Amino acid sequence: MHLATKAVLGLALMALAACNNPSKNGANGVVDPGGAYGDAGGVSQGSINDPNSPAYFSGKVGDTVHFVVDQSTLTDEARATLSGQAQWLSSHGNYAAIIEGHADEQGTREYNLALGARRASSVQQYLISQGVPANRLRTVSYGKERPIATCAEESCFAQNRRAVTVISVGAGS
Amino acid sequence: MVRWILAAAAAMMLTTGMAVAQQGPLHIELDEGVIEPLPYALPTFVDEGAGSMASQITRVIADDLSGTGLFREIPEGAHIQRFGSFDTPVSYADWQAINAQALIVGSVGMSGGKVVVKFRLFDVYGNAQLGDGQQLAASSQSWRRLAHKVADVIYSRITGETGYFDSRVVYVSESGPKDQRQKRLAIMDYDGENVNYLTDSSAIVLAPRFSPQGDRILYTTFETGFPRIKMMSVGNASGKLLPETPGTMTFSPRFSPDGSSIVYSLEQNGNTDLYSMSVSGGGSQRLTNSPAIETAPSYSPDGSQIVFESDRSGSQQIYVMSASGGEPVRISNGDGRYGTPVWSPRGDLIAFTKQSGGRFFIGVMRTDGSEERDLTASYLDEGPTWSPNGRVIMFTRESPGAAGAAKMFTVDITGRNLKAVAGVGGASDPTWGPLLP
């Protein structure tokens, strides 16, 4: 009995070196908001009691609005918070903002990225309608990649369906 | 004496071997659904100077075959006949006595610095060899690929279809708790072995996709702070960002079947539509124009159509349109939200993720939406990808709660043989590459 196939498999070894550390600098020179947890894009926060500080914006004005399931329309509560944000941004022209849109995990990854973008855009449009110059606002969606609450219940999902206005340096591009 | 032929010839020879696969009574008809696995005997391959590699290769072949759920190994302790050499004549009665339907006899040796595997497949009840014997060789680092190649030939001869064992999967390796998840691109053999990392975890990476030839990868990265599509070549993990319009977000890319173009989602002012461009980054073309979310596109194998998801009806549903755009046709019609459609490599089915009643399902439907079947159900299943032969689906399953983690699972398209991909830890977003040459 003969062996029909006599062959060498040329198996190229793959050079799979880990890539270099990608730059953490964003397109506008803004520090990657996804690169750090719990801070606001590398901007000095200042004191929550100083009305001119980003810490005051996030702590007193309120940097976060929430959404109902699979929606991007703003609730009355969200509009009230955003009016405060618009006032603060209008009187602090030296700051720009990145609006981060987020979704809960009850959705597919791609859809949630698009849904987070819708939410961020709703906030952006509202802030613009309240007089914040468009060139000081950028949006980004994290989809379901950055939950802040981890339980598998509506109480956590509700916290994760959010848009966060993150103060950054510079008056926009 | 072994005569060495180059790699290109190897693929040709394997194909020749497959041509005889359907002869004889030893056959599994995959379309009928296999409930009782076919019993086979795989005596440890005769060691002709390769040491422990003979038993290691034998075990990988057995894991491949038994792992399909189509075959059941008869333990070696029950075997009556022993093979002192590769050419020992088969005593069929000894194998019939233990109810083996298939017998695989092989040897592993070394020649010219290469591992050399020889094997023959026997139809025990037909008292005959099935197909010709074959010999394969590779460098010793690639011994697992040799085993997968042998298993692919055996699978192919018994089922009449090409195998999927000598293939790789690109995926996202995950670590850390749900609210501090770290993600990096990784590549593995289909069975979870030979993991290599392609990026570090300094930026979120999502949903890598293989090129049809398996030599390039498209994925979404947050390395600029915003979602962008990057293309890397597998052999050189540097990669380049594809061009985009400032102020937009691009994600959910996939190669066309000929590897020349990319279909993807582009978000501008909150609205997400589908676009295509050439792999060189030029010729951007808008394919949909609606205020709804259009994402998760996937080409038909002939490249003429694109299946995608849209919420233009008010909820996520699956649509098919021409690859150049135009009016889409909705194909999903059941209860629930449908997303992440992926066209099978055979062209006959579309795999999808469905959400209904607070649970997630992986399912398949015909390309006109008929004959929908759920294959899995859990708290969170998503993102199906097809084995190269269209018989198995791999997907992500995320478990609930603070301690929840992502794992990759496989299931065959009859809904049987659900199991986790072992040994890779937290992992999501698999894409199964082509059968390697």
Side-chain angles (χ1 to χ4, degrees):
Chain A
M1 196 164 293
H2 74 288
L3 292 162
T5 304
K6 298 169 183 168
V8 179
L9 296 177
L11 301 179
L13 284 176
M14 322 232 35
L16 296 173
C19 80
N20 293 329
N21 266 339
S23 163
K24 285 203 166 192
N25 288 328
N28 298 332
V30 172
V31 173
D32 173 13
Y37 294 94
D39 78 14
V43 175
S44 168
Q45 293 299 291
S47 162
I48 194 168
N49 297 317
D50 172 6
N52 296 316
S53 72
Y56 181 91
F57 178 87
S58 55
K60 293 283 177 69
V61 176
D63 61 359
T64 302
V65 296
H66 294 98
F67 296 86
V68 298
V69 177
D70 198 21
Q71 294 297 315
S72 57
T73 47
L74 299 170
T75 63
D76 289 346
E77 190 185 350
R79 285 167 188 269
T81 302
L82 293 177
S83 294
Q85 289 186 8
Q87 258 179 5
W88 192 92
L89 285 165
S90 295
S91 56
H92 294 85
N94 51 327
Y95 287 113
I98 296 175
I99 302 148
E100 302 177 352
H102 299 268
D104 66 36
E105 71 180 354
Q106 292 288 293
T108 50
R109 199 174 313 287
E110 295 85 351
Y111 181 82
N112 277 350
L113 266 183
L115 178 60
R118 263 186 188 162
R119 288 173 174 161
S121 181
S122 286
V123 168
Q124 181 185 39
Q125 292 311 312
Y126 191 81
L127 293 176
I128 290 170
S129 77
Q130 299 293 300
V132 181
N135 67 359
R136 287 170 55 199
L137 303 172
R138 254 208 97 161
T139 59
V140 63
S141 174
Y142 286 96
K144 59 176 173 178
E145 304 304 314
R146 288 287 179 258
I148 52 172
T150 56
C151 71
E153 288 147 32
E154 170 56 21
S155 62
C156 287
F157 299 153
Q159 294 178 63
N160 294 332
R161 293 189 300 266
R162 69 198 193 277
V164 183
T165 305
V166 178
I167 299 302
S168 58
V169 289
S173 51
Chain B
M1 181 59 204
V2 177
R3 193 160 52 86
W4 304 105
I5 300 171
L6 291 177
M12 212 173 65
M13 295 269 186
L14 288 175
T15 310
T16 309
M18 284 163 193
V20 296
Q22 291 186 42
Q23 72 184 28
L26 178 59
H27 180 75
I28 294 176
E29 183 55 50
L30 292 176
D31 283 330
E32 290 168 3
V34 175
I35 297 163
E36 187 58 38
L38 184 145
Y40 70 99
L42 177 61
T44 298
F45 280 10
V46 176
D47 174 18
E48 294 182 346
S52 63
M53 207 168 275
S55 60
Q56 288 175 299
I57 285 175
T58 309
R59 282 302 93 207
V60 172
I61 296 168
D63 288 346
D64 283 348
L65 294 175
S66 299
T68 62
L70 304 174
F71 305 94
R72 177 175 58 81
E73 187 185 15
I74 298 171
E76 198 151 15
H79 296 183
I80 301 165
Q81 185 183 16
R82 305 281 157 173
F83 288 88
S85 107
F86 180 59
D87 292 316
T88 302
V90 171
S91 167
Y92 291 104
D94 286 352
W95 301 102
Q96 289 164 3
I98 61 169
N99 293 318
Q101 287 192 43
L103 168 68
I104 302 142
V105 178
S107 70
V108 182
M110 298 293 294
S111 178
K114 303 267 185 187
V115 184
V116 180
V117 176
K118 293 184 282 189
F119 69 98
R120 296 186 181 110
L121 171 63
F122 296 92
D123 175 354
V124 171
Y125 288 90
N127 295 295
Q129 184 171 333
L130 185 63
D132 288 325
Q134 286 204 358
Q135 174 168 316
L136 305 167
S139 66
S140 55
Q141 301 99 304
S142 300
W143 67 269
R144 294 189 70 91
R145 286 200 57 196
L146 279 179
H148 293 319
K149 287 252 180 240
V150 172
D152 276 327
V153 172
I154 291 161
Y155 176 98
S156 174
R157 285 187 180 173
I158 296 178
T159 66
E161 303 199 2
T162 53
Y164 56 86
F165 309 120
D166 187 25
S167 62
R168 296 194 298 176
V169 171
V170 61
Y171 66 101
V172 173
S173 170
E174 301 196 1
S175 60
K178 205 167 261 204
D179 57 350
Q180 292 198 20
R181 198 55 64 79
Q182 301 287 314
K183 297 193 169 195
R184 58 199 300 208
L185 279 197
I187 193 168
M188 66 178 194
D189 294 351
Y190 98 99
D191 57 0
E193 296 288 335
N194 287 325
V195 169
N196 272 292
Y197 297 100
L198 304 175
T199 69
D200 62 24
S201 56
S202 60
I204 301 171
V205 290
L206 304 174
R209 306 294 182 211
F210 264 126
S211 64
Q213 297 76 27
D215 57 341
R216 285 166 296 166
I217 295 166
L218 285 168
Y219 65 104
T220 302
T221 173
F222 280 67
E223 69 184 49
T224 65
F226 301 89
R228 298 263 318 252
I229 297 169
K230 196 165 184 179
M231 182 163 61
M232 71 163 58
S233 112
V234 174
N236 164 14
S238 53
K240 63 163 185 174
L241 291 165
L242 297 179
E244 66 159 21
T245 311
T248 66
M249 187 175 101
T250 49
F251 60 103
S252 195
R254 214 182 271 274
F255 284 98
S256 64
D258 65 3
S260 71
S261 58
I262 297 163
V263 62
Y264 62 99
S265 277
L266 183 148
E267 177 271 340
Q268 189 159 30
N269 299 322
N271 181 34
T272 299
D273 272 299
L274 298 181
Y275 288 71
S276 65
M277 70 167 90
S278 79
V279 288
S280 58
S284 174
Q285 191 188 349
R286 185 170 190 158
L287 302 179
T288 64
N289 195 342
S290 94
I293 289 172
E294 274 79 33
T295 190
S298 166
Y299 281 96
S300 60
D302 67 1
S304 69
Q305 291 172 287
I306 291 170
V307 64
F308 64 97
E309 62 171 80
S310 169
D311 68 349
R312 60 182 65 194
S313 72
S315 75
Q316 271 173 289
Q317 297 294 336
I318 297 174
Y319 295 78
V320 172
M321 70 176 175
S322 160
S324 55
E327 196 56 37
V329 176
R330 176 171 162 178
I331 64 165
S332 59
N333 291 295
D335 291 334
R337 295 162 60 183
Y338 293 77
T340 74
V342 190
W343 218 299
S344 87
R346 300 154 62 92
D348 55 343
L349 294 172
I350 287 167
F352 56 83
T353 305
K354 182 173 75 175
Q355 281 173 265
S356 181
R359 296 189 43 94
F360 282 70
F361 306 80
I362 301 294
V364 292
M365 59 174 67
R366 299 225 160 259
T367 58
D368 62 359
S370 65
E371 298 181 41
E372 179 186 330
R373 286 182 289 126
D374 295 336
L375 306 179
T376 74
S378 88
Y379 170 73
L380 210 179
D381 285 350
E382 69 171 309
T385 180
W386 292 92
S387 65
N389 69 353
R391 286 293 176 183
V392 180
I393 287 170
M394 193 179 289
F395 62 96
T396 307
R397 172 167 288 180
E398 174 97 21
S399 49
K407 266 184 177 300
M408 297 185 292
F409 279 72
T410 53
V411 66
D412 73 31
I413 59 168
T414 64
R416 294 195 181 87
N417 204 33
L418 173 72
K419 56 182 186 168
V421 176
V424 291
S428 62
D429 292 5
T431 298
W432 210 321
L435 204 57
L436 295 170

